[in-house]
Amino acid sequence: MLGSYKEVMWPRLVANKILRKSVGSNNFVADFPPDADETFLEAPGLVDERPSFDSKSIFVNQHKTTNQNYKVLVSTWNVGGIVPEDGFDMEDLLETHKTPCDIYVLGFQEVVPLRASNVLGSDNNKISAKWNSLIRETLNKSVATSDNRDKGINGFSQDFKCIVSKQMVGILITVWVRGDLRPYIRHPSVSCVGCGVLGCLGNKGSVSVRFRLHETSFCFVCCHLASGGRDRDGRQRNSDVTEILSRSSFPRGTSLEDLPKKILDHDRVIFLGDLNYRISLPEEKTRLLVERKEWSTLLENDQLSMEIMNGQIFRGWQEGNVTFAPTYKYIPNSDLYYGCIAYKKDEKKRAPAWCDRIIWYGSGLKQHEYTRGEVKISDHRPVKAIFTTEVKVLRHSNKIRNLFFSDRFEDRSDGYDDQIDSKDYSWIST
């Protein structure tokens, strides 16, 4: 009887998951409502929100852009379905005391075990809420105890806020920025692509986050690609990437602000996650080279490195120098790779590999650090990278600022006072 019940329910569960309607690109968790990005702030300089009458002809091409550098930490970790304990130390992932940053992007895979009930059921938001609580505590504890030496690249030290957090089955990406940067973050949105069971379920795939900081667009793509060490598994990983790049899509925005729709259209693009690419060598040779720490020989046979150098799907992508040991597969809570001790009869052999990676596309990003963490609760080690990025900042010339307060401007705007909203510009830096 139980078997018959499962036979009836399984197709229904699969159909419900496939046909379930997405509630849109604003379906994410944040410290601010999704429509809060409508406030357009740029500084220093006054942003006029009055009716434009003929002002466009006066102000067009008068705006100037300058470049400002920000420091970004990106981290990825397959946690293997482990739920963190209260008080879990996130410092290994965030490095808040060692290298304070302006923006933190953390990607997780397998925040829940990839069993059928999790793949087909609703996402367990309690798990993502716990990770976000730990991140908030760590980032803001650092702020509370920091001095002038521990501030970000621009010399600020303020509370960090979550601008986007999104979970799809086991994939979670969460983005945090300094509180004073929040007014300059606009158009945050997400795009989820399932590449798992039936080619569409979320046990494998990606969650992408897009936003604009000042006048520069960012896209962070947190992935969990197909596993396995066979040739066909490598082809499936490439296929997953192709699907992610083609199916991920973001809203265009208003006619006044044409926003990138596809991942590669953004100004700054970073892939992070358990990409699952392996080393194309026999297991015994791989283990021997790992033991000898001959990373260069191993990387010559690393599938992702070969794809970046000679492949098609990662043409134009970059990765920093890999100088750390393979991040997979460890015996949890140890420094031993899986297979260093006697196998159980039915266990699969898995050679060490750099499954967990961070790569980027295009210009405008400079990587300063590419390392792995040493937290041991999972069979993966976390990987993190620190970048500086150039961001275009819109500034208004003093000529326009003077015009706003001149008699000529008052004469031109006479009769429009009833249409002008009352705004408090006291926050503007002058």
Side-chain angles (χ1 to χ4, degrees):
M1 187 70 178
L2 183 59
S4 299
Y5 175 77
K6 287 184 177 179
E7 289 172 4
V8 172
M9 289 301 296
W10 182 264
R12 187 178 299 174
L13 287 169
V14 173
N16 286 342
K17 192 73 172 183
I18 293 173
L19 297 175
R20 185 174 296 154
K21 299 292 185 181
S22 171
V23 295
S25 60
N26 286 336
N27 180 27
F28 56 81
V29 176
D31 286 339
F32 305 89
D35 58 357
D37 64 301
E38 294 302 317
T39 304
F40 183 103
L41 309 182
E42 295 296 341
L46 183 62
V47 177
D48 185 41
E49 295 182 348
R50 307 184 184 197
S52 58
F53 44 93
D54 292 329
S55 60
K56 275 190 175 181
S57 61
I58 299 176
F59 301 145
V60 71
N61 297 326
Q62 296 290 337
H63 299 161
K64 296 181 179 180
T65 59
T66 58
N67 291 330
Q68 187 164 334
N69 287 329
Y70 291 96
K71 191 177 290 184
V72 183
L73 181 141
V74 180
S75 179
T76 178
W77 187 22
N78 184 323
V79 298
I82 303 297
V83 178
E85 297 179 355
D86 293 340
F88 179 77
D89 187 2
M90 297 289 293
E91 184 62 29
D92 190 54
L93 275 74
L94 297 170
E95 293 192 3
T96 57
H97 290 94
K98 179 182 176 183
T99 314
C101 293
D102 303 298
I103 302 170
Y104 291 83
V105 181
L106 289 89
F108 300 90
Q109 303 81 45
E110 296 191 44
V111 294
V112 296
L114 299 182
R115 62 173 74 101
S117 60
N118 289 329
V119 174
L120 297 172
S122 299
D123 293 328
N124 185 350
N125 293 324
K126 291 182 180 179
I127 302 299
S128 56
K130 185 154 191 176
W131 282 110
N132 280 326
S133 176
L134 291 168
I135 294 166
R136 185 188 306 277
E137 181 181 351
T138 302
L139 289 177
N140 290 323
K141 181 192 297 182
S142 173
V143 169
T145 59
S146 65
D147 58 24
N148 291 332
R149 296 170 298 172
D150 292 328
K151 295 178 181 177
I153 192 170
N154 296 306
F156 293 96
S157 179
Q158 297 195 19
D159 286 354
F160 282 84
K161 304 294 184 182
C162 179
I163 60 167
V164 177
S165 176
K166 178 64 178 177
Q167 179 184 350
M168 179 184 73
V169 188
I171 302 172
L172 168 65
I173 184 168
T174 179
V175 182
W176 297 73
V177 303
R178 286 195 338 253
D180 63 293
L181 287 182
R182 172 59 191 90
Y184 310 108
I185 300 285
R186 305 197 307 282
H187 309 295
S189 58
V190 298
S191 180
C192 300
V193 173
C195 299
V197 178
L198 303 179
C200 61
L201 295 186
N203 56 307
K204 294 292 191 290
S206 69
V207 179
S208 302
V209 167
R210 181 277 297 283
F211 61 89
R212 177 167 283 181
L213 172 58
H214 290 290
E215 300 306 305
T216 300
S217 61
F218 289 80
C219 186
F220 297 92
V221 186
C222 183
C223 303
H224 194 184
L225 305 183
S227 60
R230 297 165 295 186
D231 289 343
R232 68 182 185 186
D233 298 322
R235 292 192 293 272
Q236 184 60 52
R237 285 187 279 276
N238 290 346
S239 176
D240 288 350
V241 174
T242 301
E243 287 290 300
I244 289 166
L245 292 176
S246 63
R247 288 166 52 193
S248 298
S249 182
F250 301 94
R252 277 287 192 190
T254 65
S255 59
L256 296 176
E257 197 164 13
D258 191 22
L259 300 169
K261 185 176 181 181
K262 308 302 289 184
I263 289 173
L264 297 185
D265 295 338
H266 291 78
D267 298 318
R268 311 286 183 261
V269 181
I270 295 180
F271 253 53
L272 58 142
D274 181 359
L275 306 188
N276 253 323
Y277 285 96
R278 308 303 170 96
I279 297 169
S280 297
L281 290 173
E283 181 185 354
E284 293 75 12
K285 186 170 185 179
T286 298
R287 291 186 182 278
L288 179 62
L289 292 170
V290 168
E291 188 176 337
R292 294 176 177 175
K293 298 183 178 181
E294 295 187 18
W295 309 143
S296 59
T297 304
L298 288 164
L299 287 165
E300 288 173 2
N301 297 277
D302 172 74
Q303 293 174 352
L304 179 59
S305 297
M306 291 188 288
E307 285 293 337
I308 291 173
M309 290 290 293
N310 307 310
Q312 297 297 317
I313 61 167
F314 284 119
R315 186 184 296 255
W317 290 80
Q318 301 176 66
E319 183 179 28
N321 293 327
V322 178
T323 59
F324 49 86
T327 57
Y328 175 84
K329 174 178 173 83
Y330 280 91
I331 299 172
N333 299 308
S334 80
D335 291 316
L336 297 175
Y337 285 106
Y338 193 86
C340 293
I341 57 177
Y343 292 102
K344 295 180 181 178
K345 186 176 181 180
D346 58 347
E347 281 183 336
K348 297 178 181 178
K349 295 184 177 181
R350 293 182 178 87
W354 285 285
C355 289
D356 310 278
R357 311 286 274 271
I358 299 170
I359 60 177
W360 72 94
Y361 180 81
S363 60
L365 288 162
K366 182 179 180 181
Q367 191 177 79
H368 300 275
E369 179 181 319
Y370 192 32
T371 60
R372 64 173 233 175
E374 295 303 329
V375 61
K376 301 175 183 179
I377 62 173
S378 170
D379 56 355
H380 289 251
R381 293 292 197 266
V383 169
K384 51 199 170 184
I386 293 177
F387 300 88
T388 51
T389 179
E390 279 191 350
V391 171
K392 289 182 180 179
V393 178
L394 185 65
R395 300 183 185 278
H396 300 280
S397 67
N398 288 331
K399 182 189 297 184
I400 295 178
R401 288 173 56 76
N402 292 334
L403 179 60
F404 280 139
F405 299 106
S406 69
D407 292 337
R408 287 185 298 140
F409 184 83
E410 292 300 326
D411 291 340
R412 289 197 58 125
S413 60
D414 185 41
Y416 292 92
D417 290 344
D418 294 337
Q419 305 176 47
I420 298 173
D421 293 333
S422 175
K423 299 289 182 182
D424 178 12
Y425 293 110
S426 60
W427 51 268
I428 296 176
S429 173
T430 57

